[in-house]
Amino acid sequence: MSSTGSDDSYFLLVDCNSFYASCERVFQPALRKRPLVVLSNNDGCLIALTPEARRLGLELGDPYFKKQDVIEKNNVAVRSSNYTLYGDMSRRVRSTLKQFSPHLETYSIDEMFLRLTGSPHRDLTQYGHHIVQTVKKCTGIPVSVAIAPTKTLCKVAMERAKIEGQEDVQNTANWKDPEAVLATLPVEDVWGIGSAYARTCRQAGIKTALDLRNCSSRWARNNLTVTGLRRKRELQGISCIPLEPGSAPKKRITCSRMFGEKITEFQDLREAVLTYTRHACKRLRDDEQCAATVQVFIRTDRFVEEKKYSSITLQGLSQPTDSTHVIARKACRCLEEIYRPHYRYHKAGVILSELVPRDKIQRSLTKAETSPPDEKMMHVFDEINKKFGKNSLQLLGEGLEKNWHMRRNHLSPAFTTRWQQLPIAHTV
Ligand SMILES: [Mg+2]
């Protein structure tokens, strides 16, 4: 690569291979020899596949019901998505990686950036292999590592490794012809170049990552703003996108699901909306934020020939809050406003927005909907659910039957987060 931002600073991108499928395999060794697919919420589509499943012609996004014959014929293992398990395995991978560098950014559930400083003479490729082995040993999850002087080049290297099915460690320093690598990557596949920027690039004859790297800085600045200019520089090996340790506070929190069965009754919808509100409020408190606006949406199935309806509305709060019961009251009001009878509803959701950090709230003297005792109550509420299981305390309006629950017919146990579901080791 041409030049590096600083000679002793390198980025590593660690990507978990077929992450959801790998999590399922860790505690079920019998699955290791079988092709495996993981389904989206409600067992709708294929969202993760092992390479063996891909070789059978299965693809991401395929509707499950359409592929059932191929799946059964080839003895493909099927699992419903188990986000509790995946979230916990992701946490384990992260904490293993922290021993290699305190500078860590969680980019997604299965991708983490690390920044290495110092020790410029260390054999980085070998170090990458050491990381792959350590993560595998400590968590059971197979990972790939890309090493480069910038985050964008890490992404290029990872992309290349995936397409060409290469080594699990890619170090851009070992590329014999870096220009040839960049020339094979279409400009729209450069990390951070969205479809609008890609269109602008193509109109100007910039078709590949190499073209973008070589375009004039002035052109990039004028046509792609500073975002595009940064990508160009990063492709040159000049680091401009720093590591973002700790996740940035969220701007909104959404909790929505498709129902296992379509529902028409207001009462059932209300139960669902209250359940989603409770989950969203828990995430709000975990982030130490409060919401000033609550939105609720409901809709029928877009892909089925039947009467269609969808609507969304919002309610503001006089003061931002994280109290489940206060937000739940507003959510119910939203639902009352948009609900229409005689439709078969397929999905509902709750969105909390206009989020403010809890310690920055301006307290209102006159119209407070919440009070300090509320905070204590919510704390107790969360503690009880932490101790006895996350659904031990619920809102009364959530109902007990929950006929609308998501379909998850192939769910694996919560191996790592529930005492009752720990894997059992057999001794002979
Ligand atoms: Mg991955």
Side-chain angles (χ1 to χ4, degrees), residues 10-14 112-116 124 127-128 131 145-148 154:
Y10 275 85
F11 289 92
L12 267 81
L13 173 61
V14 180
M112 291 112 207
F113 280 109
L114 289 178
R115 190 162 61 83
L116 294 183
L124 285 171
Y127 197 57
I131 292 178
V145 172
I147 305 161
C154 281

Side-chain angles (χ1 to χ4, degrees), residues 15-19 110 162:
D15 187 321
C16 305
N17 303 342
S18 311
F19 182 55
D110 73 331
K162 273 185 196 164

Side-chain angles (χ1 to χ4, degrees), residues 38 45 83 93 100 197 307 316-317 320 340 347 350 411:
V38 178
C45 303
Y83 291 108
V93 171
F100 297 102
Y197 282 165
K307 263 197 317 176
L317 290 136
R340 301 286 177 272
K347 186 173 184 177
V350 174
L411 187 66

Side-chain angles (χ1 to χ4, degrees), residues 120-133:
H121 305 300
R122 187 161 48 196
D123 182 337
L124 285 171
T125 310
Q126 210 178 17
Y127 197 57
H129 284 292
H130 176 52
I131 292 178
V132 170
Q133 283 155 9

